[in-house]
Amino acid sequence: MIIDSHCHLQMEDYSNDLPSVLSKAKENGICSFIVIGFDLQSSIKAKELSQKYDFIHPVYGIHPYDTKEYDISVFSELEDLIREFPPLAIGETGLDYYRDISPKDKQKNFFNRHIELASRYNLPLVIHLRDAFNDAYDIMKGTNRRNDILHCFTGQENDINRFSEFNMYFGISGIVTFKNNELSKLVNLIPQDRILIETDSPYLAPVPKRGKRNEPANLSFILETISNLLGKDKTHLINMLLENTRNAYRYSFNEC
Ligand SMILES: [Zn+2]
């Protein structure tokens, strides 16, 4: 059994064909989907999908890009959602300095508040970081957070080492299949019980689907690549990833 540990199936991109996207995934052995909110509306939609399908599980939060749209009152709305339908985690939150979309101070403030929320409800955090590893490390160091999830890892070797101080899980996306990517050289350096895989659909479609809308069925290309990089046969790898995903999200997940 394979789990897509990070995707956005609540997006408009799937409004016409979600049932066939799901059945295609299941044909490829992917039978649970963690659907991640990135703003209030998408968190609500993640909840609604999870109410409709028992193999979909929601995560609620405000992506760093979207922080500029909100003031802190949004956190009481996120709390309402948590009480209505408990999520597997809080996020995606974090810091993104690659694009200058939301002010850094706002991003940091929201990251801190997501951390408080996750701690209050004893949930893991799903963290998005791009070009902001130093600030995120400083923020995390001031907390006692452990066992959170750094999704779509794009850092360096030294980031694996320092974020491992927090017993972080590292999500590997389709980037690992791209030509001349840096990530392939690092996969072997991540502690094996800390590796997760994700599509981040509809973004980051792996080779040979690069440039198209991504979907969970494409997880098989990422699996294949990681299996080669780690020199691990696929069955063994799938079992390892299932165990890791269960531990990271503290949930057992149903069989297909
Ligand atoms: Zn995402």
Side-chain angles (χ1 to χ4, degrees):
M1 177 170 83
I2 306 165
I3 298 167
D4 191 344
S5 73
H6 188 116
C7 57
H8 302 285
L9 298 180
Q10 77 274 53
M11 285 176 70
E12 271 303 295
D13 304 63
Y14 305 101
S15 55
N16 292 325
D17 65 346
L18 184 61
S20 75
V21 166
L22 294 172
S23 55
K24 208 168 140 199
K26 291 194 175 195
E27 284 162 25
N28 283 275
I30 299 124
C31 37
S32 288
F33 309 85
I34 303 173
V35 171
I36 314 282
F38 47 87
D39 62 7
L40 183 59
Q41 203 49 44
S42 63
S43 297
I44 293 169
K45 285 187 181 158
K47 182 202 75 165
E48 289 169 352
L49 278 185
S50 306
Q51 287 169 318
K52 187 168 175 190
Y53 299 106
D54 61 3
F55 48 81
I56 289 183
H57 307 279
V59 170
Y60 307 141
I62 312 294
H63 188 285
Y65 283 171
D66 296 277
T67 55
K68 68 173 187 312
E69 307 292 339
Y70 295 98
D71 61 49
I72 54 163
S73 66
V74 73
F75 287 94
S76 72
E77 300 190 67
L78 291 176
E79 279 201 75
D80 289 344
L81 276 184
I82 295 169
R83 285 189 285 258
E84 246 179 87
F85 192 97
L88 292 192
I90 297 298
E92 58 187 280
T93 179
L95 303 174
D96 191 319
Y97 298 164
Y98 178 70
R99 291 203 190 102
D100 203 13
I101 293 183
S102 285
K104 286 183 183 176
D105 283 348
K106 185 96 188 242
Q107 293 190 34
K108 286 186 197 168
N109 181 16
F110 269 55
F111 186 27
N112 275 306
R113 286 177 186 272
H114 281 87
I115 289 172
E116 283 168 28
L117 190 61
S119 296
R120 194 170 333 131
Y121 287 88
N122 192 25
L123 290 166
L125 277 171
V126 174
I127 301 170
H128 166 107
L129 289 185
R130 195 160 179 203
D131 292 352
F133 285 85
N134 288 341
D135 281 4
Y137 177 78
D138 289 343
I139 288 175
M140 298 282 303
K141 214 170 161 52
T143 72
N144 53 10
R145 296 296 307 174
R146 292 292 181 274
N147 303 309
D148 291 317
I149 298 149
L150 185 44
H151 110 89
C152 189
F153 180 64
T154 56
Q156 308 296 317
E157 179 174 353
N158 125 67
D159 297 313
I160 295 173
N161 298 332
R162 56 184 178 159
F163 282 87
S164 291
E165 288 172 27
F166 314 125
N167 293 342
M168 193 71 79
Y169 289 90
F170 297 86
I172 305 299
S173 70
I175 291 175
V176 78
T177 68
F178 294 179
K179 207 179 162 193
N180 300 324
N181 76 83
E182 291 294 311
L183 182 59
S184 329
K185 297 174 204 146
L186 301 178
V187 171
N188 265 296
L189 304 176
I190 300 172
Q192 293 203 350
D193 64 348
R194 296 283 142 178
I195 299 177
L196 303 177
I197 55 167
E198 58 171 81
T199 59
D200 204 15
S201 295
Y203 310 109
L204 295 175
V207 173
K209 306 279 183 181
R210 196 169 176 185
K212 302 205 172 98
R213 178 191 74 169
N214 201 2
E215 57 179 80
N218 294 336
L219 209 49
S220 43
F221 301 112
I222 301 172
L223 261 173
E224 182 81 44
T225 304
I226 296 179
S227 156
N228 292 332
L229 287 171
L230 296 182
K232 233 184 208 338
D233 75 84
K234 254 201 258 173
T235 313
H236 191 157
L237 178 63
I238 287 169
N239 289 335
M240 180 188 98
L241 292 169
L242 176 60
E243 188 66 20
N244 292 355
T245 312
R246 283 176 164 156
N247 291 337
Y249 283 100
R250 309 172 200 166
Y251 190 82
S252 59
F253 299 100
N254 294 328
E255 297 293 329
C256 275

